[in-house]
Amino acid sequence: MLNPPLSLLSDDLLSHIVENLAKLPFSNKNLSNLSVADRAFTQSCQKYIFRDLRLSNTEKISQRLQNLKAVLDDKPKLATHVRLVELANETAWLFDDHTFIDILLLLANSPVPPHTLLFGRFMGYSQIIHDPILVVRWLTQSFFSRTLTVLHLKECKNVPLPIFLICPKLRELSLDQVGATEDTYDEYPDDLCSRRDSPPLEVLNYRNSHSVVEQIITPPPRFNTPVVLWSNLRTLTLAPRDKEGLPYLQPILDAASNTLEELYLTDIYVGQSQQILLAGLVNLSNLLNLRVFSVFAVINCNIRRKAPRPAVLHDLNIVLGTIPKSNKITNLSFDFDIIGRRPFNGCLDQDWVGTFDEIIRISDGKPLELELAMAVSTGNLGVDHPGAGELYRDITEKSASLSDHPEICAHFWNPTFWARGVGPFPRGQVRGRCRR
């Protein structure tokens, strides 16, 4: 049993300790150790230990299923903690495995069955979903057809389009390096492609998945109903250097013009090293309820002296210029990766002043949170380069006009802040209202 001072803590504080431990790396091992260290922690730890059911395609999977089934048979309440199921692409055979089916029945009888499904290569070896028709059919017959709200697909090369249509409660969709191989879907049964309620997505994240996104936007004739509805979309995230995926951004923005609140062009995309100019691809003029706009951009100063340099900030300023003066923007975030060495030719020549002028115009006297992160590198991992401090100082000096606008709360960050114990604000998150 717990001894003082831990024994003097309330149950709420003990649960709070477990909650924060669950957020740390290797949390399951630490939670397992804590759960057996004292019975006071056991129940709270089990809530997180059994939250995720992850099944990879290994030789031990059958034995693991049997062990899990024995645990759940002995303590059925543990099944009520499962919220996420994660499967490898090549584990479609599980849908015919009696032990796995028995476990699914236990989960189905939970007051709150799992609502999140992850499918991909992250726990397997193949990028091919084995028997995609079987996968879709299984989903229609499982509790997921009633409960699924979050679907993550990663490194799948033959994503079946009906997988989105058969889960009408789907609200969050993440597509990471996935592709569609079907063109007609003629081999799919009629009931998987039509006469179903389209899910109204609220959150979409896609990267290097243009063939699937293209089909979602314009389904093949086999589908007589939209695959998803855009009329509820609130948050959209994609990689700004995804050359194939960017052309599908504007059609989504147009379809979600009345509801989109947060747009993050921030996902890292390693397949494209050159900054893609966004003007002509992104127009924010019709996003009536946009509150957050965040963008990651690369400014390359390593280009030969007489070679043309991409006008990255000029391009960004054109995009910012599409935001009407009458807007609901509360947060703007810019994350710049500056590649070069002293004297950083072309970096200070970028239109920094124009960017700050656009920020002032967008604020128009209303409160605005501004994030500006800058990191200098040579294209490698290091960021501690001679002259980088001078460059940071020169850039921040160009922001002097912001000081005349107290309603704009500016937060600047560069790697020199690490020495002060200050990390960058997490990419893809929103800072709350500044308190001066």
Side-chain angles (χ1 to χ4, degrees):
M1 298 296 292
L2 288 178
N3 296 314
L6 287 178
S7 61
L8 302 177
L9 299 179
S10 67
D11 291 342
D12 288 343
L13 283 176
L14 293 177
S15 296
H16 184 67
I17 292 173
V18 173
E19 179 183 353
N20 282 276
L21 180 63
K23 299 176 182 178
L24 299 177
F26 311 107
S27 60
N28 259 23
K29 181 179 180 180
N30 295 328
L31 289 168
S32 297
N33 292 336
L34 183 60
S35 69
V36 298
D38 196 287
R39 285 179 295 173
F41 289 108
T42 301
Q43 187 171 351
S44 295
C45 287
Q46 288 176 342
K47 176 182 176 182
Y48 293 96
I49 292 173
F50 288 89
R51 187 176 183 86
D52 301 348
L53 173 58
R54 291 186 167 94
L55 298 174
S56 58
N57 194 38
T58 66
E59 295 178 355
K60 299 180 179 179
I61 186 171
S62 295
Q63 185 60 52
R64 187 184 175 199
L65 286 172
Q66 293 175 16
N67 295 341
L68 177 60
K69 175 67 164 50
V71 171
L72 296 181
D73 283 343
D74 183 50
K75 296 182 178 180
K77 186 177 180 181
L78 296 179
T80 66
H81 298 320
V82 180
R83 295 289 179 271
L84 177 151
V85 176
E86 185 171 330
L87 301 173
N89 288 327
E90 62 267 41
T91 50
W93 62 268
L94 282 173
F95 307 143
D96 289 325
D97 182 89
H98 294 298
T99 305
F100 183 61
I101 292 173
D102 289 342
I103 292 174
L104 290 179
L105 290 175
L106 290 173
L107 299 181
N109 292 328
S110 168
V112 186
H115 58 78
T116 300
L117 177 65
L118 279 68
F119 227 103
R121 197 177 67 165
F122 27 66
M123 299 196 68
Y125 304 98
S126 174
Q127 295 190 33
I128 303 299
I129 297 178
H130 291 188
D131 201 342
I133 295 180
L134 173 63
V135 172
V136 175
R137 178 63 73 192
W138 170 77
L139 281 173
T140 64
Q141 298 171 353
S142 74
F143 59 83
F144 275 117
S145 64
R146 306 185 309 275
T147 66
L148 189 68
T149 60
V150 181
L151 176 62
H152 290 192
L153 301 173
K154 183 175 182 179
E155 295 185 76
C156 311
K157 293 302 182 185
N158 59 335
V159 172
L161 201 59
I163 198 172
F164 312 120
L165 192 58
I166 60 173
C167 300
K169 292 186 177 180
L170 183 64
R171 296 296 179 268
E172 180 177 332
L173 176 61
S174 177
L175 305 171
D176 189 357
Q177 301 184 70
V178 301
T181 55
E182 287 277 357
D183 292 325
T184 63
Y185 292 89
D186 287 339
E187 296 182 2
Y188 281 71
D190 288 342
D191 65 315
L192 298 182
C193 302
S194 61
R195 299 188 300 276
R196 291 184 175 274
D197 295 331
S198 308
L201 282 187
E202 296 179 3
V203 178
L204 174 63
N205 183 342
Y206 73 86
R207 175 175 60 173
N208 193 20
S209 304
H210 58 277
S211 63
V212 175
V213 175
E214 179 183 16
Q215 286 192 356
I216 292 176
I217 294 174
T218 308
R222 185 81 168 80
F223 296 82
N224 59 12
T225 186
V227 176
V228 303
L229 299 178
W230 303 108
S231 54
N232 277 30
L233 192 67
R234 296 183 297 103
T235 304
L236 178 59
T237 304
L238 67 151
R241 292 193 288 171
D242 184 351
K243 185 176 182 179
E244 288 77 19
L246 272 173
Y248 300 103
L249 170 60
Q250 193 60 47
I252 298 176
L253 296 182
D254 293 339
S257 60
N258 292 326
T259 59
L260 193 70
E261 298 178 2
E262 302 179 17
L263 176 58
Y264 300 95
L265 306 182
T266 53
D267 247 359
I268 298 298
Y269 181 68
V270 296
Q272 173 69 35
S273 60
Q274 185 176 358
Q275 177 70 26
I276 296 176
L277 299 183
L278 300 176
L281 295 173
V282 183
N283 189 316
L284 309 178
S285 61
N286 293 324
L287 301 181
L288 305 179
N289 290 292
L290 188 66
R291 298 184 298 102
V292 179
F293 179 57
S294 181
V295 64
F296 169 79
V298 176
I299 301 175
N300 194 339
C301 311
N302 275 343
I303 301 174
R304 295 188 304 274
R305 182 179 297 273
K306 294 184 179 181
R309 293 179 174 82
V312 177
L313 288 190
H314 176 72
D315 171 72
L316 177 59
N317 294 343
I318 293 176
V319 175
L320 292 176
T322 65
I323 299 176
K325 186 175 183 180
S326 176
N327 60 74
K328 296 183 179 180
I329 299 290
T330 61
N331 295 76
L332 289 174
S333 177
F334 307 99
D335 189 348
F336 296 118
D337 184 9
I338 301 173
I339 301 176
R341 297 180 176 87
R342 182 190 280 166
F344 302 105
N345 292 320
C347 289
L348 279 176
D349 295 338
Q350 296 279 335
D351 191 10
W352 297 96
V353 173
T355 299
F356 296 121
D357 287 344
E358 282 296 333
I359 292 168
I360 293 170
R361 182 191 66 81
I362 292 169
S363 170
D364 194 29
K366 68 178 185 298
L368 178 69
E369 296 297 316
L370 171 64
E371 304 282 346
L372 179 58
M374 299 171 286
V376 172
S377 71
T378 59
N380 300 314
L381 294 178
V383 293
D384 186 16
H385 299 292
E390 299 173 17
L391 179 66
Y392 299 140
R393 185 185 64 246
D394 291 343
I395 292 174
T396 53
E397 285 178 353
K398 292 178 180 293
S399 70
S401 58
L402 296 179
S403 60
D404 295 330
H405 300 271
E407 69 278 3
I408 300 176
C409 192
H411 310 272
F412 293 89
W413 185 91
N414 64 66
T416 62
F417 282 61
W418 282 119
R420 309 177 203 172
V422 180
F425 196 74
R427 180 182 286 122
Q429 294 188 24
V430 180
R431 192 189 297 266
R433 182 65 60 84
C434 179
R435 295 182 180 180
R436 293 185 176 277

